[in-house]
Amino acid sequence: FGPSNGGILCVKGKFAYEFVNHPDRLKTPLIKKNGEFVEASWEEAFDLIENKMKSIKAQYGADALAGLSSARVSNEENYLFMKFMRAAIGTNNVDHCARLCHASTVAGLASVLGSGAMTNSIPEVLDADAILVQGSNTTIAHPVLGTRIIQAVKKGAKLIVIDPRKIPLTEIAEIHLQIKPGTNIAITNGMINVIIEEGLADMDYINSRTEGFEEIKEMVKDYTPEKVAEICGVDPEDIRKAARLYAKADKAPIYYSMGVTQFASGTNGVIDMSNLCLVSGKMGKYGCGVNPLRGQNNVQGACDLGALPTDLTAYQKVANPEALKKFADFWGVELSANKGLTVTEMMKAITEDKVKSLFIMGENPMISDPDINHVEEALEKCEFLVV
């Protein structure tokens, strides 16, 4: 029972006990011999891993080894994994899939707000007056928050859904803007246009807390509801209604996911939603903000704990000598100051014979990474692959 879920168990965990006795579940280590997996003892598997990693490190150096941590495991496991790569192996080549599903979130929110995380806590949605969900099938992908949104609507919150699909949330939405796929930026610009043109912008907030408002005003002036309706394939009056509903609400959080980020223009889509929030004066306030919903259950935790090539725990930089010394002293080892490889750089480095060994914990790069053929080629070429 925690503040985020209030005793509501996510259906993904609720029924996970069935996996424990699933016939596909591995119970013993498998070692590939002559192209076929054969069962092995734990001792044999550990000895093989230790000997191969030591020999590769001795021959090519620590940076010839790399590791993928996981957004599906606990904070403690992510901390241990990145400590293993840095303190035991001696490399900063540690990463996970966060930069793939929400790279545009990190870049977009960091550039506008300074941090790439949710700006508000999950329980605050229960006190919302209006809720804006864009590019997220929340009840399916994030069931606990989806349930919270349904509870908020039952309490009186007005829901705006911006999504090309008729997702379950549209059944309880006040407004569903069923836009053409990939027109997220246009619809957000249209809402900002209405808010400014109808005098709904929070000018006191804008003048005291933001910069660049005149540029935004100039940029969106041509994005009239009529023009945006043409681009997005929706009713211009619905755009006006959505903009008014969001702007006039005292507490109105924005939730979005990969229906916004998974485009070439994803970063700009995230920036645009931040601008919508700022123009309305809804940043830094209870029950408001811009809240990315992650692709996997612990993307945030894996980043916070330091499973990143450039960041130690709590985003202390590898490039900062003071931070590096702090961890070196605490762990009692010398640490590398070399910038580590990202997940996509690791695959490239394997194909270029720069990385010889890859240790994967709870991650599936064949699913997560771009260009599955390139990933397959890299994994097949990898001299020593541990999963």
Side-chain angles (χ1 to χ4, degrees), residues 40-73:
S41 68
W42 288 99
E43 288 75 16
E44 185 185 356
F46 285 144
D47 285 345
L48 178 63
I49 292 167
E50 181 187 358
N51 293 334
K52 287 288 285 183
M53 284 187 157
K54 278 182 174 176
S55 67
I56 288 170
K57 181 178 174 179
Q59 190 174 353
Y60 302 104
D63 287 337
L65 295 100
L68 292 179
S69 196
S70 176
R72 288 196 177 99
V73 305

Side-chain angles (χ1 to χ4, degrees), residues 39-294:
E39 290 191 358
S41 68
W42 288 99
E43 288 75 16
E44 185 185 356
F46 285 144
D47 285 345
L48 178 63
I49 292 167
E50 181 187 358
N51 293 334
K52 287 288 285 183
M53 284 187 157
K54 278 182 174 176
S55 67
I56 288 170
K57 181 178 174 179
Q59 190 174 353
Y60 302 104
D63 287 337
L65 295 100
L68 292 179
S69 196
S70 176
R72 288 196 177 99
V73 305
S74 69
N75 288 345
E76 292 79 4
E77 288 164 316
N78 276 308
Y79 177 84
L80 278 175
F81 188 87
M82 75 93 183
K83 180 182 176 182
F84 169 71
M85 293 305 298
R86 290 187 161 111
I89 303 296
T91 181
N92 289 310
N93 291 341
V94 57
D95 201 13
H96 68 289
C97 73
R99 72 183 60 258
L100 303 172
C101 62
H102 272 282
S104 36
T105 283
V106 174
L109 291 188
S111 66
V112 181
L113 308 175
S115 172
M118 290 178 76
T119 62
N120 291 66
S121 68
I122 288 172
E124 293 174 40
V125 72
L126 291 172
D127 295 320
D129 302 303
I131 302 164
L132 174 57
V133 175
Q134 181 167 184
S136 165
N137 193 353
T138 320
T139 53
I140 302 300
H142 302 86
V144 171
L145 178 62
T147 303
R148 292 295 213 189
I149 290 172
I150 292 167
Q151 289 172 336
V153 171
K154 284 181 177 176
K155 284 177 68 178
K158 303 295 185 188
L159 175 62
I160 305 160
V161 173
I162 302 176
D163 202 292
R165 303 159 298 178
K166 284 187 176 177
I167 59 174
L169 279 182
T170 58
E171 294 173 19
I172 58 167
E174 184 83 3
I175 300 164
H176 177 206
L177 292 167
Q178 194 170 6
I179 61 171
K180 292 176 185 173
T183 60
N184 305 73
I185 292 174
I187 200 76
T188 309
N189 282 345
M191 288 179 68
I192 296 172
N193 172 289
V194 172
I195 289 166
I196 294 172
E197 291 299 318
E198 296 191 2
L200 300 173
D202 188 337
M203 294 312 298
D204 289 340
Y205 181 95
I206 288 166
N207 292 330
S208 63
R209 305 277 292 275
T210 72
E211 54 189 34
F213 174 68
E214 291 304 321
E215 289 94 320
I216 292 293
K217 187 177 178 181
E218 179 65 25
M219 185 194 74
V220 301
K221 72 176 184 182
D222 294 331
Y223 282 87
T224 62
E226 283 69 26
K227 179 181 176 179
V228 170
E230 210 173 291
I231 296 168
C232 300
V234 294
D235 187 333
E237 277 312 304
D238 284 343
I239 299 171
R240 289 188 175 92
K241 283 179 195 168
R244 291 168 191 152
L245 188 58
Y246 173 74
K248 290 178 181 178
D250 182 39
K251 294 186 283 292
I254 296 174
Y255 297 100
Y256 74 91
S257 191
M258 286 180 275
V260 172
T261 60
Q262 296 291 296
F263 291 95
S265 58
T267 300
N268 289 330
V270 172
I271 289 171
D272 223 21
M273 280 187 297
S274 303
N275 290 334
L276 173 65
C277 187
L278 292 169
V279 164
S280 309
K282 290 180 170 56
M283 184 63 68
K285 293 182 179 178
Y286 177 86
C288 292
V290 180
N291 303 285
L293 306 177
R294 306 300 189 171

